[in-house]
Structures are given as C-alpha cells and as structure tokens.
Amino acid sequence: MSRVARSVRYRLRRCQVAVWALALRALSRYGRKRLVSPAGPVVSLTSHGSRLRRCHITIESIGRGDSRPSRLLLWIDDPEVLESLPPALIRLQRRGLEVRLTSNYGPHTKYYPFVSSTENLDTPLVTADDDVIYPPRWLTDLVEASQRMPASVIAYRARRIVVDLDGSLAPYDAWPFSAEPGPSFLNFGTGHSGVLYPAAMQRALRARGEGFVPVCPRADDVWLHNTALREGVRVSLVRRRSVAFDTLSGTQRGALKHSNVAAGANDEQIRRTYSDADLGRLEAAAQEEEAAAQEGPAS
C-alpha cells in the first residue's frame, strides 16, 4: 500500500472513530441502561488529569457491550476530583459505575487497589485503558477465551519476547506483536486492548504487594508478566494474532509508550524486575517452543 493510500485510510479511520465517540458521548448523556450485570467479571481502570473529561466514552463503550461486568471500577488518586466529578461520570455512577479513591500507583493503579483491598478474588479481573473505544464483543470474547483456557492470562494484544542466543532478552522495542495464540510464557500481555486475570494471578499479585515500586513503577505490564511467569501462568491471545483497538483522539500526548518504548525505559525496568531464574525460565520456554515447532504437528 502506498504512503498516500495509507494516509487516506488512516484519516478515514480517525473520522470513523470520531463518529463512534460522538455516539458514545450521546449514549452516556441520555442512556439509562445499567452498565453492570451480576454474572460478568470485574472490570477495573484508572484515569487522571485531562483524561477524566473523556474517560466516560471508554466506560460507555464497555457498558454497552454484549456482555457487561459485574462491577465496573474507576480508580482516581485525587480527593478533590472525587468531590467534584465531571457530570458525565456522575451520570455513569447512577448506572452502576463505582468511582473509588486510591493512592497513586501510576499505571499499576488499574489493578493493584482492587487486588489489595478485595477479600474475595474468585471472579476474573479485566483491566482496561481509559482512552480506548472497546467493541461490543470485547468482554464476551475475553470471557469465552478464558473459559477455553481457564489457567491462562487472556490478552487481546501481546508482545512476543525475543530471547537471544546467549539467553539474554532482546530490547523490548525488538519484540514483535505476537501472532502465537499460546498459551505461552513468551507472550507478554500489554494492557491497551484489555487483559483478563484469573483468580490465581490476582492472589499472586496481592501476595507480592507493592514490590513493583522500586523495580518497575511505570511499567505495569512488566510486573504483571513477571508475576505470571513466577506463578507458572502462561499468556494466551483472544484471537490468533494481536489486535489493538482504536484510541480517542488527543489522548496520546503523555502516553507511557513514549518513554517506556521509544525512550527505552521498559528495558531498564525489565532488567531490574527479572531475576536470573526468570531469564532461565524464558530461555527454557523459547527452546521448548522452538523444538516443538521443528517437530511440527503430531501425526
């Protein structure tokens, strides 16, 4: 595809996303349907600053889905904001959104306040970003994939960890987006499109506490994958390859990807988080999967 064709396609897609956002904004203003339903998983996200004025669009996209969460939690770290929420969030509260105050754990805020404060962690936990428009089957497909692979972390999008010949990890920016459905220790789930965590993972995260603070305070994906690796929990994709859902315009200026990926901050946080034993597990997984691929499908 030519550069001009790509540019036209991108502009058309952004126009389509803008139309979807307008429709969701109207639904958020005039909708009356409950956002939650008893049988669903818990969905948790966080927002802050200027994003709080737009995150109702993301929340509405979750609540209008074919399946709804049993709880829909929005974590914020500013008491003054909690006392004067935007009108759109107040309307969503009437329909089942829970807005909770927490300490500031950076990107870890989307999951850690829940696992550290909830007595019963038997219900699957799904994390979401506050700047994404999630499609109607988003939660349905996550849950169905989890039912097929109940021991796995389930992700829509993952990087494929690259282990070099000497057993070290290639730079994060060299890890391609995965097209290996898994389950696999080499699938490194990324939170953008949504990730489901089974009960065992939630309990492990609670047990590790705030250990992420000194090693990867700005890289929740690193801590989450490292915890899964140590617990023997593999990551599976919802689909046969990774997928990234559309983001709202104007929300990416301060996104973590600019520092964590482009500036290499993920590599430093990975070095601090993964022990020699962790690297050994990843090297063994890479060798095992390479051997299985060379053998081909069983006859």
Side-chain angles (χ1 to χ4, degrees):
M1 185 182 296
S2 70
R3 182 181 300 178
V4 172
R6 286 195 299 270
S7 177
V8 170
R9 183 176 179 179
Y10 173 80
R11 290 174 183 275
L12 288 174
R13 185 65 177 182
R14 295 315 299 172
C15 287
Q16 188 176 38
V17 171
V19 171
W20 290 342
L22 285 172
L24 289 167
R25 194 185 298 270
L27 186 58
S28 177
R29 188 174 188 85
Y30 300 109
R32 297 293 182 267
K33 182 180 178 180
R34 293 283 291 174
L35 302 173
V36 293
S37 179
V42 174
V43 173
S44 180
L45 69 161
T46 185
S47 191
H48 61 91
S50 62
R51 288 177 176 237
L52 276 164
R53 297 195 298 270
R54 291 190 176 188
C55 69
H56 64 284
I57 299 173
T58 289
I59 294 167
E60 190 66 59
S61 75
I62 295 170
R64 63 89 195 252
D66 296 343
S67 297
R68 288 172 287 162
S70 57
R71 297 179 69 187
L72 183 48
L73 295 159
L74 174 65
W75 301 94
I76 59 176
D77 61 16
D78 188 336
E80 293 183 6
V81 171
L82 185 62
E83 292 298 319
S84 56
L85 289 173
L89 290 180
I90 294 174
R91 289 193 295 269
L92 290 174
Q93 281 183 300
R94 299 189 191 113
R95 296 166 56 201
L97 174 68
E98 300 176 49
V99 183
R100 299 295 186 88
L101 183 66
T102 182
S103 299
N104 183 356
Y105 296 106
H108 300 268
T109 308
K110 71 174 68 169
Y111 73 88
Y112 185 69
F114 177 78
V115 300
S116 62
S117 65
T118 303
E119 182 81 17
N120 185 350
L121 296 175
D122 291 336
T123 302
L125 172 67
V126 175
T127 59
D129 276 6
D130 66 345
D131 59 348
V132 177
I133 295 179
Y134 292 103
R137 283 193 58 87
W138 174 70
L139 199 56
T140 299
D141 289 347
L142 273 170
V143 170
E144 289 181 354
S146 180
Q147 290 169 345
R148 295 192 302 271
M149 297 167 287
S152 290
V153 169
I154 306 296
Y156 271 103
R157 188 177 73 164
R159 296 268 187 169
R160 187 71 174 170
I161 296 175
V162 177
V163 182
D164 288 334
L165 293 177
D166 62 359
S168 64
L169 302 184
Y172 179 85
D173 199 30
W175 300 357
F177 285 109
S178 181
E180 298 290 339
S184 174
F185 289 128
L186 300 178
N187 279 342
F188 179 98
T190 62
H192 171 275
S193 292
V195 183
L196 182 148
Y197 299 97
M201 262 293 294
Q202 296 178 59
R203 296 189 187 103
L205 290 166
R206 178 166 62 189
R208 295 189 80 183
E210 298 180 21
F212 53 82
V213 173
V215 293
C216 55
R218 305 295 291 168
D220 55 319
D221 294 339
V222 170
W223 187 252
L224 290 160
H225 178 269
N226 182 260
T227 300
L229 178 67
R230 293 187 180 187
E231 288 297 307
V233 177
R234 293 169 171 82
V235 178
S236 297
L237 293 179
V238 175
R239 302 178 183 174
R240 294 195 62 81
R241 60 181 60 249
S242 294
V243 59
F245 298 125
D246 295 290
T247 56
L248 296 167
S249 297
T251 58
Q252 296 300 293
R253 183 171 298 174
L256 282 175
K257 66 179 182 180
H258 299 305
S259 59
N260 281 353
V261 180
N266 262 355
D267 293 316
E268 177 59 33
Q269 294 177 94
I270 287 168
R271 279 192 290 271
R272 293 198 298 257
T273 303
Y274 288 75
S275 66
D276 289 343
D278 296 330
L279 297 179
R281 293 186 189 100
L282 291 173
E283 183 178 16
Q287 292 172 350
E288 180 182 337
E289 293 191 21
E290 182 178 358
Q294 289 175 352
E295 289 177 5
S299 57

